[in-house]
Amino acid sequence: MPVRQILLLNVLVFITVIGLSLLWELHLEALAIHHHDNPTEVLEDILAPLFYVVVALIAPNYFLFRFGRGLAADAERRLQDSERAIAAILNNAHESIYLLDPDGAVRLSNAVGARQFGRNAEGLKTLNFIELLPQPARDDFRQAFDGTVRNHDSRLLEVHSGGSWRENSLAPVLGEDGRVRQVLVVCRDVTQRRSALATLEHETHTQQAIADIAHMALEDIPLDEFLARALDRVLNSEVFGGSMKGTLFLADPTHHTLTLKAHKNLDCQLQNRCAELKFGECLCGRAAQSGAPLFQAHVGEGHDIRPDGMEDHGHYILPILKDRAVLGVLNLYVPGGHPQNDAEMVALRAIADTIASAIHTKQAEQELDRHRRHLEELVDERTREAQEKTLRLEAALAREKQQGELQRQFVSLVSHEFRTPLTIIDGAAQRMIRRGAKATPDEVATRAGKVRGAVKRMTNLIETTLYASRLDEGKIAMHRGDVALETLIRDIAKRQAEISPDHTIALAFDDFPATIPGDEGLLDQVFTNLLGNAVKYSPNSPKIEVKGWRDGGDVLVSVSDHGLGIPNKDLPFLFKRYFRAATAQGIPGTGIGLNVCREFIHMHGGRITLESAEGQGSRFTVRLPARDGTGAPNSPVAPAP
């Protein structure tokens, strides 16, 4: 029955008693007025109401007594049901549950909690819970327990002991006065949860490292830079419990060698010793040779390279494979005695596979870039060749056009050149015919001299033309011998004087050798042409000067005139075939002679130079070697004495 109904019943009883008391007082006053002279009636009148009052008081209390006994039985039954329910909850719970006094003594525990300490629930009572804990967890639990008792708050504490993790939940049980009466402790085994979280965290770190390395592979950076950054990312990750030390090698499958491409915190001695390793050499070489990952906890067998003072350490060594081909080796250092961890090995193999894909891609990009550059070079080369061929063709066409024009001019000039001596010969012959027997010997000699001069002129023209043609065909051969050059030049000057009696040829030779090596016929053609030009282009200046001198191992011969000279703009082209200077207009000539002279001089290992000023004359200087295999054909021309 609810407490409110009990209180209401008591209130009604109280009101009834009060009411009866008031009625009794009124009754007594009435008796005193009406029956004061009969005592018996008065007594009856007094006892009758008193009886009803007593009945009125006893009846409610009786009913209250019966009602209270029912409430107590019901409460007892409810309490027993609650205890059985609580006991069922405690004994069927998977967690260890304890009710502790403020001093740590166990007041209550479930079966799971008792079995945790190898006891039953009764045997665990009154024992100090904190003293039952292993030493590593005892201090942390005591601190949390005291805080709960002192601050009346709940605490959550994870304790590691015996290879397992337990989560302890502490909650205060307060009394009516607000003080802590007990502390409820619930212990849960969270070892599997911790392991799952650790595995998840490890996989997260692994996937993040893989994602970062894959992102680096997409950047436009050289392969060596990528390898250095990838190694740094692995060493800075939480994938394995290693040190910040490692190396990364690239493999050369053709020569079966490993080349160190990236390293971190590697001393100089190891950098030099490990710069290049053969497959099978040391741990990294063995991993490359076998294609299988290696783990070593200490420096021991397999460490072929051991510098002095090497500290104890271990390794995770993973070959970097792509389609079973070894692309490189990833070598990570761990502290000596580090246990092999399967999760670490799996994560590192996944990272090595990512690096392998990146290396394969980068190498393919490098090969593609190399082919692209090669193709560009080929295209550029073919383009240059095409451009050069086009330029050569255009130049050839221009030369052909120029050659045609020059040849046309040459034909015109040759026709004129041949016509002039033929006219002289014809005129002399007609004069001699007309004179007949009347001609004197001197007159005949004069006419004959003119005919001979015209014939010589025609002969030189024909020979020069033939020489030019034979030069083009490569049919001119030198017949080298000893040439008395001074004598040859004097004979040429004598012939020229006979042809041109109005000109004076002054000869001067100083310390000139008796002979030089050369072809007399070719040299005759050279100096005949030079003397002929000097006379031809000096119509109003009869003095011609020829000088010869020695300069070291060379001889030099200069032919100077004081005639028309050559304009500066024409000087660079004067030795080109068929070219004639502007000052030569109206003067017979073919433009072949100087070109032939230069070629003949070059065949002798010499050179020819020109100094000229328009209106002042010209000076041609020929330098020739004085001995076989000697001379300085490219030396500056020494000044004439």
Side-chain angles (χ1 to χ4, degrees):
M1 190 175 183
V3 176
R4 189 190 309 176
Q5 295 178 357
I6 297 174
L7 292 175
L8 181 59
L9 182 59
N10 281 299
V11 170
L12 291 175
V13 171
F14 177 74
I15 292 173
T16 302
V17 172
I18 295 298
L20 291 174
S21 299
L22 292 174
L23 290 175
W24 176 251
E25 289 181 1
L26 293 174
H27 180 65
L28 290 179
E29 290 180 358
L31 287 178
I33 296 173
H34 294 93
H35 302 287
H36 58 275
D37 55 351
N38 190 348
T40 302
E41 292 179 358
V42 173
L43 180 61
E44 289 177 355
D45 291 338
I46 293 173
L47 291 177
L50 184 62
F51 171 77
Y52 292 112
V53 171
V54 171
V55 171
L57 292 175
I58 293 175
N61 284 288
Y62 172 76
F63 286 113
L64 287 173
F65 172 73
R66 293 294 301 273
F67 181 69
R69 287 187 62 184
L71 289 177
D74 185 62
E76 182 70 21
R77 186 168 56 255
R78 289 175 179 272
L79 181 60
Q80 291 175 357
D81 291 342
S82 298
E83 290 178 350
R84 284 193 296 271
I86 293 173
I89 292 172
L90 292 175
N91 292 324
N92 288 286
H94 297 290
E95 295 87 357
S96 299
I97 302 175
Y98 309 94
L99 190 63
L100 308 182
D101 287 334
D103 59 358
V106 179
R107 289 287 300 275
L108 178 67
S109 71
N110 63 351
V112 176
R115 284 197 300 271
Q116 181 181 343
F117 296 104
R119 301 170 182 268
N120 56 33
E122 291 298 325
L124 195 62
K125 288 183 178 180
T126 72
L127 296 179
N128 190 287
F129 179 81
I130 299 176
E131 298 298 328
L132 295 175
L133 295 175
Q135 184 58 47
R138 189 177 299 171
D139 294 338
D140 291 339
F141 188 89
R142 185 184 299 279
Q143 184 177 358
F145 183 81
D146 292 344
T148 297
V149 173
R150 182 172 57 254
N151 299 323
H152 299 182
D153 58 0
S154 299
R155 302 292 174 98
L156 189 65
L157 174 69
E158 286 191 357
V159 177
H160 181 257
S161 64
S164 63
W165 283 91
R166 290 188 173 275
E167 181 185 76
N168 298 296
S169 175
L170 291 77
V173 179
L174 304 179
E176 295 179 357
D177 56 358
R179 298 177 61 186
V180 176
R181 299 301 183 186
Q182 286 93 25
V183 175
L184 180 64
V185 179
V186 180
C187 300
R188 300 178 184 87
D189 190 339
V190 294
T191 303
Q192 291 184 351
R193 187 181 72 184
R194 294 275 302 206
S195 177
L197 288 174
T199 301
L200 179 61
E201 185 177 7
H202 187 265
E203 291 179 354
T204 301
H205 290 311
T206 302
Q207 294 302 320
Q208 186 61 51
I210 290 174
D212 291 345
I213 292 172
H215 180 73
M216 292 176 195
L218 298 176
E219 297 180 20
D220 186 16
I221 56 176
L223 178 57
D224 289 356
E225 182 180 347
F226 163 75
L227 295 176
R229 289 175 58 182
L231 176 63
D232 187 70
R233 179 63 183 85
V234 175
L235 293 176
N236 282 284
S237 70
E238 298 181 19
V239 173
F240 76 110
S243 57
M244 293 293 293
K245 185 176 181 180
T247 57
L248 208 160
F249 295 84
L250 273 187
D252 182 354
T254 303
H255 300 92
H256 298 282
T257 57
L258 295 173
T259 302
L260 182 63
K261 289 294 184 180
H263 58 82
K264 188 167 185 179
N265 297 325
L266 195 69
D267 59 71
C268 296
Q269 192 173 2
L270 278 176
Q271 290 180 34
N272 295 330
R273 295 286 299 277
C274 299
E276 184 171 294
L277 299 175
K278 296 179 180 178
F279 280 20
E281 183 182 3
C282 206
L283 295 175
C284 295
R286 289 185 178 86
Q289 188 175 51
S290 66
L294 298 177
F295 175 81
Q296 193 150 346
H298 298 279
V299 174
E301 185 178 355
H303 274 84
D304 299 337
I305 299 175
R306 297 190 191 184
D308 296 337
M310 175 183 282
E311 297 181 356
D312 188 31
H313 63 273
H315 293 274
Y316 277 111
I317 303 177
L318 299 103
I320 300 173
L321 305 175
K322 182 67 175 179
D323 298 330
R324 297 185 179 181
V326 178
L327 303 182
V329 170
L330 176 63
N331 172 29
L332 304 173
Y333 285 68
V334 295
H338 180 82
Q340 183 174 357
N341 186 296
D342 292 340
E344 291 180 347
M345 182 64 80
V346 170
L348 292 175
R349 292 186 70 170
I351 290 175
D353 290 341
T354 304
I355 295 176
S357 297
I359 292 174
H360 180 73
T361 302
K362 287 287 185 183
Q363 289 178 337
E365 289 175 352
Q366 287 180 343
E367 186 67 14
L368 182 63
D369 187 59
R370 187 182 66 81
H371 283 296
R372 180 184 58 78
R373 290 197 304 270
H374 179 63
L375 182 60
E376 289 177 351
E377 291 173 358
L378 289 177
V379 171
D380 291 342
E381 182 179 354
R382 296 295 182 269
T383 303
R384 284 194 301 271
E385 290 178 357
Q387 291 174 345
E388 290 173 0
K389 288 180 179 179
T390 302
L391 292 174
R392 286 198 298 270
L393 181 60
E394 292 175 350
L397 291 174
R399 285 196 303 272
E400 186 70 20
K401 184 177 180 180
Q402 183 182 18
Q403 195 77 6
E405 178 63 23
L406 291 174
Q407 286 180 350
R408 186 188 63 77
Q409 296 176 5
F410 170 71
V411 170
S412 177
L413 288 171
V414 167
S415 299
H416 182 270
E417 287 293 307
F418 275 105
R419 190 179 296 113
T420 300
L422 287 174
T423 300
I424 294 173
I425 293 171
D426 182 63
Q430 290 183 26
R431 189 70 176 266
M432 291 176 69
I433 292 172
R434 284 197 303 269
R435 294 285 294 170
K438 297 178 180 180
T440 63
D442 292 337
E443 188 177 356
V444 171
T446 301
R447 301 300 175 192
K450 290 183 178 180
V451 170
R452 287 185 61 198
V455 170
K456 182 63 176 176
R457 181 175 175 181
M458 291 179 63
T459 301
N460 287 338
L461 178 61
I462 292 171
E463 287 180 351
T464 301
T465 304
L466 290 175
Y467 276 131
S469 176
R470 289 162 62 191
L471 277 172
D472 290 340
E473 296 174 359
K475 293 182 178 180
I476 292 184
M478 282 187 62
H479 302 286
R480 190 177 292 274
D482 291 334
V483 179
L485 186 60
E486 181 179 348
T487 302
L488 177 64
I489 292 173
R490 290 184 182 277
D491 291 341
I492 294 170
K494 186 177 180 180
R495 290 200 307 265
Q496 187 64 47
E498 292 176 356
I499 299 172
S500 307
D502 295 334
H503 284 75
T504 302
I505 301 176
L507 301 172
F509 293 92
D510 182 28
D511 190 25
F512 208 75
T515 61
I516 67 168
D519 186 315
E520 185 172 347
L522 299 182
L523 293 176
D524 188 308
Q525 182 69 22
V526 168
F527 289 104
T528 297
N529 187 283
L530 292 177
L531 279 171
N533 285 345
V535 170
K536 183 166 56 174
Y537 295 109
S538 303
N540 301 318
S541 301
K543 185 177 181 180
I544 307 298
E545 298 175 350
V546 178
K547 296 181 180 180
W549 70 97
R550 185 193 295 269
D551 180 29
D554 296 341
V555 295
L556 292 95
V557 177
S558 67
V559 178
S560 305
D561 65 68
H562 302 281
L564 301 176
I566 301 166
N568 286 333
K569 64 182 181 63
D570 291 341
L571 290 176
F573 311 103
L574 198 65
F575 289 98
K576 289 184 178 295
R577 189 176 299 181
Y578 307 131
F579 181 83
R580 304 197 73 204
T583 51
Q585 299 299 322
I587 299 176
T590 62
I592 296 177
L594 287 178
N595 176 261
V596 172
C597 288
R598 185 183 65 175
E599 296 301 321
F600 286 173
I601 292 169
H602 286 173
M603 289 173 65
H604 282 78
R607 62 177 295 191
I608 182 171
T609 57
L610 167 64
E611 300 170 77
S612 182
E614 188 174 1
Q616 298 180 18
S618 301
R619 178 183 181 185
F620 289 86
T621 303
V622 177
R623 176 186 288 270
L624 296 170
R627 297 183 299 275
D628 285 335
T630 63
N634 293 320
S635 300
V637 176

